Amino acid sequence: MVTYQLAHIRPHWELIWDPEKNEYTPEEHSYAEITNNLIIELSKLDPPLKYHNNEDKLAEYCKLLLKWDIKKVGPRWIGSPYTSILEQGGFRDLNQKELCLAICGRIKAALDRGQLHFDDMEESHRTMLADVIAVTLFHRSDYS
């Protein structure tokens, strides 16, 4: 669900889990190494209390600097697809700091709700987490 949407960048989008090494098996032209590194990086972060604030920073970049016609109505941004907002906002996100904090916060929110596995998450939350991870991997891809 995460890497399939990036198959146009790297052909080996399906990752193979190695239970003995507790990581994805590195493979040429795959997302395994980037994903393994991201998991390690995320494990060292303190989850933010309000991960939407991290995502809002990316949306504000699109609104103010890119002049996108978007606005926040209640808790939601309208005017463009949310994933596009995060993707484009991510170009100003040094080392994907805000994206990583958003991922970490979303994972903590799922764990706080007793959702210990990705497949246990509510569909909309699972989709959004997958999209934020995919955007982060996209920004970390070397397109080869």
Side-chain angles (χ1 to χ4, degrees):
M1 191 169 181
V2 173
T3 55
Y4 175 72
Q5 55 192 306
L6 301 171
H8 63 287
I9 299 171
R10 292 185 178 201
H12 300 285
W13 59 271
E14 290 186 279
L15 305 181
I16 301 166
W17 183 253
D18 183 336
E20 291 178 15
K21 292 184 178 179
N22 207 27
E23 68 177 19
Y24 290 105
T25 303
E27 184 180 16
E28 188 176 10
H29 303 299
S30 84
Y31 289 96
E33 188 174 344
I34 297 172
T35 302
N36 289 335
N37 291 337
L38 179 60
I39 291 168
I40 292 167
E41 182 179 340
L42 293 173
S43 73
K44 296 176 183 178
L45 293 177
D46 290 323
L49 295 176
K50 297 182 179 182
Y51 60 86
H52 286 289
N53 292 345
N54 302 92
E55 295 171 1
D56 286 350
K57 290 178 184 179
L58 304 175
E60 288 294 341
Y61 165 73
C62 291
K63 182 177 179 177
L64 298 175
L65 297 175
L66 298 179
K67 308 293 186 207
W68 282 21
D69 186 21
I70 59 174
K71 64 182 175 181
K72 192 164 186 180
V73 177
R76 302 192 185 281
W77 285 91
I78 62 168
S80 282
Y82 194 59
T83 304
S84 296
I85 293 171
L86 297 179
E87 178 186 314
Q88 292 303 306
F91 283 106
R92 274 295 273 233
D93 187 12
L94 184 62
N95 297 320
Q96 297 75 48
K97 175 188 170 198
E98 303 301 337
L99 287 165
C100 287
L101 287 169
I103 293 168
C104 196
R106 285 181 175 278
I107 291 170
K108 182 177 182 332
L111 293 172
D112 289 349
R113 291 175 177 82
Q115 301 163 351
L116 304 180
H117 301 281
F118 185 78
D119 292 340
D120 294 338
M121 294 175 70
E122 179 184 309
E123 183 179 356
S124 63
H125 292 164
R126 184 174 58 236
T127 299
M128 199 60 239
L129 176 59
D131 287 349
V132 178
I133 294 170
V135 166
T136 304
L137 293 174
F138 168 75
H139 280 288
R140 292 182 175 195
S141 294
D142 60 9
Y143 310 103
S144 62

